[in-house]
Amino acid sequence: MATFLIKNIGEFFTGDLDQPQLPVKSVLIENKLIAALDPPSDTQADATVDAGNSAVMPGLIDGHVHPVFGEWTPTQDTIGWIGNYVHGGTTTMISAGELHVPGLDYEHMTPDLVTSLAVVTAATTGRVRWSGAKVHAGTVLLVPGMKEEHFDRLAAAKAVLAKYLFFPLATHKDEALTYNKWCRERGIRIKVHTGGVSRSGLSQICGYDILSWLQPDVAAHVSGGPIPMSDHDLDRVIDETAFALEICSSGNYGSTQRAVRRLKDKGLLRRLTLGTDTPGGTGIIPRGMLRQLCFMSSVCDISPAEAIAIATGNTARAHGLECGILAVGKPADLVVCGPVEGSAGTSVTDAIAHGDLPGIAYVLIDGEIVVSGRSRQTPPPQRKYFFSCCEAHAGGFQVTRP
Ligand SMILES: [Zn+2]
């Protein structure tokens, strides 16, 4: 479809923390991008969705996933997980490392092996739009002994992220700082595992002392993935550093509250990013990002519009991605949703503030419909939606991707 119009919008969430909600009533999409907000009322499009006064928000961005081979993950022996996440409103995912490849020997990983693993994953899982999702795969698991040419290979594979997980940061400071430089010279962002040992049993413990000199772009799951750093370290990381801080569904609820409230009180919510840290020991969570929104709002006192901006614009910016914001010229990655029958209040804002999942009707990625009329993972929204494109498809239109 060349042009697509969403009209009759009741709540419009921008994904921009500085102005997270606007009184926009309609959105025109053309050639994968947002062409206009509130175009003239006589605007015609190839297809139209009447949103029935419900909500439009940017597609959610899961900043921490662990893909392996396409839509299959061996961690819970599940097939189709990416499509299930798309039905939970996630349109972009960023790999935090492909460590779950069966048989990978964490104690004997060489520079060539970790680089090749990232390059192969980028060229396979990262090459295809599984269920329409934008999956940034090919995140190297840094190990000692890497040379600059390894980072050239990663850059050629268009890697967006490199990860310290098994790397012995406590004893290899100079080497890590050299890696940081090589990454940044190639536009590759740096993420580090924080907190205690993870399911792998071999991840390196990381708290304030290491973060203070490492200065990553994103400190992963600062409230636990699954074990958080100490409360004292968490407070110091918030107070004494400036990089992005990620909260994941795999974390500790108490530490999450502590971190989010402290960031809010100090006016530092721009540093906050979200992810699920799944598939993994926490499971497969198709509604994981929606649940993060609900937890942020109903437990941590973040407004729903701000929580949405944290899950979209903030998370994209921290990883150097252009999605996550609904503005003219930006990718048309968005979710049309409404409150579920029986939910608190009358709007998506009311629902999220109360901790209730919204019901998803449509998900668009690059202007293409990937969820049409009804998510298979959320309850249906209470309001009815009307899709029209031509006489043949008046009513009951279902779009399936080739
Ligand atoms: Zn992880």
Side-chain angles (χ1 to χ4, degrees):
M1 267 166 281
T3 57
F4 193 100
L5 180 69
I6 304 171
K7 63 181 187 181
N8 233 338
I9 298 169
E11 299 163 273
F12 184 81
F13 301 100
T14 64
D16 179 356
L17 194 63
D18 293 334
Q19 202 174 29
Q21 207 166 353
L22 287 174
V24 168
K25 294 287 168 206
S26 61
V27 175
L28 181 66
I29 295 160
E30 192 168 0
N31 296 329
K32 302 183 178 185
L33 304 176
I34 295 174
L37 301 179
D38 284 332
S41 57
D42 59 350
T43 298
Q44 296 293 317
D46 298 322
T48 302
V49 164
D50 184 330
N53 207 34
S54 58
V56 168
M57 66 172 75
L60 302 171
I61 299 181
D62 189 336
H64 195 128
V65 296
H66 290 292
V68 177
F69 288 133
E71 296 226 37
W72 174 62
T73 172
T75 56
Q76 304 296 340
D77 202 12
T78 301
I79 189 94
W81 72 274
I82 294 174
N84 290 341
Y85 280 41
V86 168
H87 279 253
T90 296
T91 55
T92 293
M93 309 177 183
I94 302 139
S95 171
E98 296 97 18
L99 70 157
H100 299 147
V101 173
L104 193 60
D105 181 355
Y106 301 146
E107 287 179 278
H108 299 96
M109 295 206 296
T110 63
D112 283 342
L113 175 63
V114 296
T115 305
S116 297
L117 179 60
V119 169
V120 167
T121 311
T124 53
T125 301
R127 188 182 68 85
V128 173
R129 288 279 184 90
W130 306 97
S131 298
K134 295 175 174 175
V135 181
H136 295 275
T139 296
V140 68
L141 299 162
L142 297 161
V143 294
M146 294 175 73
K147 303 280 179 259
E148 193 162 8
E149 54 258 34
H150 292 111
F151 293 85
D152 286 336
R153 285 184 66 198
L154 295 165
K158 298 192 167 55
V160 299
L161 195 64
K163 175 92 176 286
Y164 292 106
L165 176 61
F166 303 119
F167 188 95
L169 289 162
T171 54
H172 290 62
K173 176 177 176 178
D174 290 344
E175 192 172 25
L177 292 174
T178 302
Y179 287 7
N180 288 2
K181 176 172 167 287
W182 286 340
C183 282
R184 290 188 172 124
E185 285 170 356
R186 291 163 177 79
I188 299 171
R189 305 261 168 146
I190 299 143
K191 182 171 283 191
V192 58
H193 172 93
T194 73
V197 173
S198 69
R199 192 175 75 143
S200 67
L202 289 164
S203 49
Q204 298 287 312
I205 293 174
C206 177
Y208 175 77
D209 285 343
I210 286 173
L211 290 168
S212 64
W213 62 258
L214 183 64
Q215 299 287 322
D217 295 296
V218 185
H221 46 59
V222 293
S223 65
I227 308 300
M229 65 185 82
S230 70
D231 290 349
H232 177 70
D233 272 27
L234 183 55
D235 292 349
R236 284 193 78 186
V237 168
I238 291 168
D239 296 352
E240 299 174 37
T241 70
F243 42 78
L245 304 177
E246 176 186 82
I247 299 276
C248 285
S249 308
S250 59
N252 169 313
Y253 294 127
S255 297
T256 296
Q257 264 214 74
R258 185 184 189 94
V260 175
R261 288 181 183 278
R262 196 173 185 93
L263 286 164
K264 183 187 171 186
D265 290 347
K266 291 176 178 281
L268 298 172
L269 287 179
R270 275 183 75 80
R271 295 174 62 192
L272 184 55
T273 78
L274 298 180
T276 59
D277 192 9
T278 63
T282 310
I284 314 288
I285 324 178
R287 301 192 304 220
M289 290 299 293
L290 291 173
R291 290 182 58 80
Q292 291 270 59
L293 296 181
C294 292
F295 190 82
M296 291 290 133
S297 281
S298 64
V299 178
C300 304
D301 287 334
I302 304 295
S303 78
E306 285 179 329
I308 291 166
I310 290 164
T312 57
N314 267 19
T315 301
R317 174 166 31 80
H319 295 88
L321 305 179
E322 61 165 349
C323 51
I325 300 277
L326 296 185
V328 172
K330 294 287 187 180
D333 300 349
L334 56 85
V335 174
V336 184
C337 58
V340 174
E341 188 171 1
S343 174
T346 57
S347 64
V348 163
T349 299
D350 294 343
I352 291 175
H354 188 253
D356 295 350
L357 284 180
I360 291 176
Y362 288 88
V363 178
L364 273 66
I365 301 178
D366 281 343
E368 284 205 46
I369 297 173
V370 294
V371 174
S372 178
R374 167 84 156 87
S375 161
R376 61 175 186 244
Q377 298 295 344
T378 71
Q382 186 171 5
R383 297 193 189 94
K384 295 288 170 264
Y385 298 75
F386 299 96
F387 181 93
S388 57
C389 61
C390 60
E391 280 179 27
H393 294 121
F397 187 87
Q398 288 290 318
V399 177
T400 46
R401 288 183 61 81

